[in-house]
Amino acid sequence: MFYIDSFKHPYVQLEKEIILPSVSLVNFEPLEAKKIYQLLIDYFPSFTEDFKIIHQDQIIGQKKYYSFLKVKNFDKIHIGLELRILSSYAGGASKEELLDNPIQNYSPSFRTNKIYFFLFMYAIDNYIYENQTFKSIESYYIDFIRNYRIPYTDIKVEPWTVNLFDDLEFEELIKDIEKKIPYEWNAKVWKKPFTIERATLALNLIHIDQFEYLVEDFIKFIYNINNQTFESDTFKVYFLDWEIERCLSKSGNLHWKFTKVPFINLSF
């Protein structure tokens, strides 16, 4: 089942505990990424070998993320679905769940029944794929996004931007994009529907299988992004068909549970 925590960070709660490996908090380590990849193959809903490792990690403070990407190719554009996994220990485990002694610059191995993640789709112009790994990604150029200046700075949106905790920097830009869709967003307790990832427009998802339902209309939206409005039966379902209820975590913190997700039968 899918949840979000008090920081609005989504996670999958598994039926059994798994062991996440110790990971470097300094370097990208291919072996670590492969271990995470195998856990996703075994346990993450709908994750398949269509996904490949991105040869780039994100380290935010003491949190390490590994990313995995699958690409659907079209004539003039490619659409990527990126799953970004929190691979390091983020606190809250009991002594019995921590399996390693602390080592400088490494997160310990730990036992958990949760996989924290971000999932989004975005447009790609080109990429380099070698040895079962994405070596680089060139995002699809959208003028008014790439030329957008973050308020109070002279910084433009740059390639390989990683937008984990800086949504507010793009708040006005996202609002302008969201106004083009004539449907109310019913997952406000989670995130906005759109975000900026890798210097281009991205669509936030919760379930991998949402990708196939949305990909063609997402392309149409990008091609028509300069229009004032964009109407789509698929986007209408994506914006409206959410139900999220409050619940408590094991430690008593307020979390939320997805009870209805657009296009997805959560009973399986």
Side-chain angles (χ1 to χ4, degrees):
M1 194 59 72
F2 294 84
Y3 295 81
I4 48 178
D5 67 10
S6 54
F7 296 100
K8 308 301 177 69
H9 195 164
Y11 65 89
V12 172
Q13 184 163 299
L14 307 173
E15 294 182 356
K16 62 177 291 183
E17 289 188 332
I18 62 173
I19 295 176
L20 285 173
S22 175
V23 295
S24 170
L25 297 175
V26 178
N27 300 313
F28 175 91
E29 298 289 350
L31 183 58
E32 293 174 2
K34 289 176 182 177
K35 288 179 179 178
I36 301 295
Y37 183 89
Q38 188 57 51
L39 285 172
L40 298 176
I41 288 287
D42 292 339
Y43 297 107
F44 198 93
S46 296
F47 188 88
T48 68
E49 292 181 353
D50 292 335
F51 285 87
K52 306 299 179 184
I53 296 168
I54 299 177
H55 192 89
Q56 181 208 29
D57 56 6
Q58 286 86 43
I59 301 173
I60 310 296
Q62 293 294 304
K63 294 182 177 180
K64 168 75 164 274
Y65 289 80
Y66 279 116
S67 295
F68 308 89
L69 177 70
K70 77 172 182 177
V71 176
K72 194 175 183 70
N73 296 306
F74 294 89
D75 289 340
K76 298 180 181 180
I77 195 173
H78 315 300
I79 303 296
L81 178 65
E82 182 171 335
L83 179 64
R84 188 174 291 159
I85 298 296
L86 177 58
S87 305
S88 59
Y89 173 62
S94 66
K95 291 182 179 180
E96 293 76 19
E97 291 168 329
L98 289 175
L99 305 179
D100 289 332
N101 292 323
I103 301 176
Q104 187 176 8
N105 295 327
Y106 277 84
S107 171
S109 176
F110 61 100
R111 185 182 293 110
T112 182
N113 68 340
K114 297 181 177 67
I115 301 176
Y116 282 85
F117 69 97
F118 294 104
L119 178 68
F120 43 86
M121 58 192 292
Y122 56 93
I124 295 171
D125 185 59
N126 207 348
Y127 55 85
I128 297 176
Y129 179 69
E130 296 176 351
N131 299 321
Q132 300 292 302
T133 302
F134 287 99
K135 298 295 186 180
S136 69
I137 303 166
E138 182 182 346
S139 300
Y140 184 80
Y141 193 97
I142 300 175
D143 286 342
F144 78 88
I145 292 177
R146 199 61 76 85
N147 294 327
Y148 176 76
R149 292 188 181 276
I150 298 171
Y152 312 114
T153 76
D154 291 326
I155 300 172
K156 289 185 179 181
V157 178
E158 296 295 338
W160 287 100
T161 294
V162 175
N163 182 30
L164 286 177
F165 303 108
D166 55 358
D167 288 351
L168 291 179
E169 291 183 345
F170 300 104
E171 185 174 11
E172 293 304 316
L173 176 61
I174 295 301
K175 282 181 180 178
D176 289 342
I177 296 170
E178 198 172 342
K179 287 176 184 176
K180 299 175 183 291
I181 309 296
Y183 318 114
E184 183 178 1
W185 175 241
N186 277 350
K188 295 183 180 70
V189 71
W190 169 40
K191 279 180 170 286
K192 292 181 178 295
F194 298 106
T195 187
I196 305 300
E197 286 289 346
R198 305 201 184 278
T200 193
L201 182 66
L203 197 62
N204 283 312
L205 306 181
I206 276 291
H207 197 291
I208 286 172
D209 290 344
Q210 290 180 294
F211 177 70
E212 293 297 334
Y213 291 93
L214 288 159
V215 62
E216 292 187 4
D217 285 62
F218 184 58
I219 292 173
K220 292 175 185 176
F221 179 60
I222 290 172
Y223 284 159
N224 294 280
I225 200 163
N226 291 319
N227 294 348
Q228 188 171 1
T229 60
F230 179 80
E231 295 191 40
S232 156
D233 289 341
T234 301
F235 268 35
K236 185 175 182 179
V237 173
Y238 167 69
F239 268 69
L240 298 178
D241 214 15
W242 299 88
E243 291 181 7
I244 305 171
E245 64 181 32
R246 292 185 178 188
C247 61
L248 295 177
S249 69
K250 181 174 64 175
S251 57
N253 295 320
L254 179 62
H255 286 202
W256 289 265
K257 177 181 179 181
F258 289 87
T259 56
K260 190 175 184 182
V261 171
F263 316 112
I264 304 301
N265 185 348
L266 293 177
S267 63
F268 291 97

